[in-house]
Amino acid sequence: MLAGYVAIPVWDNPKGEFPYGYLGRWAGEDYDEDAGRPRYKWPANFPKQRFLFGLNEALDDADDQPIIVVEGVFGALHCVQCGFPCT
C-alpha cells in the first residue's frame, strides 16, 4: 500500500509493542491526487483524528516543559529538529 512512500509509524498512547498504523508521505514533488498518488496516504478507515503524532515522545521529554501542539506530522518533526523535543 505504501510502495514508493516514506512510511512513518503512528503509535497509540500508551505506546504498545507495535505501531497502530503508518502514515505514508510521497517524497518527491511529482505527487498526483488524480492518479492515485497523493502527497499523504493513510490506511483506509484509519482514525487519524484519534491520534496526536509524537505524544509519547513529547511526554517523555516534557520535564516540566509545556507541550507544543502543531498542525501536522512534519510540523512536529521540524520542531523537534529545531530543538523543541516536547512537540
Side-chain angles (χ1 to χ4, degrees), residues 11-84:
W11 298 91
D12 210 344
N13 183 283
K15 195 171 186 177
E17 184 177 351
F18 300 103
Y20 186 87
Y22 292 88
L23 161 66
R25 184 181 190 289
W26 189 256
E29 291 299 320
D30 60 339
Y31 62 93
D32 185 350
E33 299 280 340
D34 296 331
R37 192 176 56 235
R39 176 168 275 184
Y40 297 101
K41 192 171 190 180
W42 291 95
N45 302 319
F46 185 87
K48 60 185 175 183
Q49 296 83 3
R50 185 178 156 232
F51 290 89
L52 287 174
F53 179 80
L55 178 62
N56 293 304
E57 293 79 8
L59 291 173
D60 287 346
D61 291 331
D63 297 329
D64 297 325
Q65 298 292 318
I67 292 178
I68 301 167
V69 179
V70 297
E71 183 179 357
V73 171
F74 288 91
L77 294 173
H78 180 76
C79 286
V80 169
Q81 286 179 332
C82 289
F84 300 97

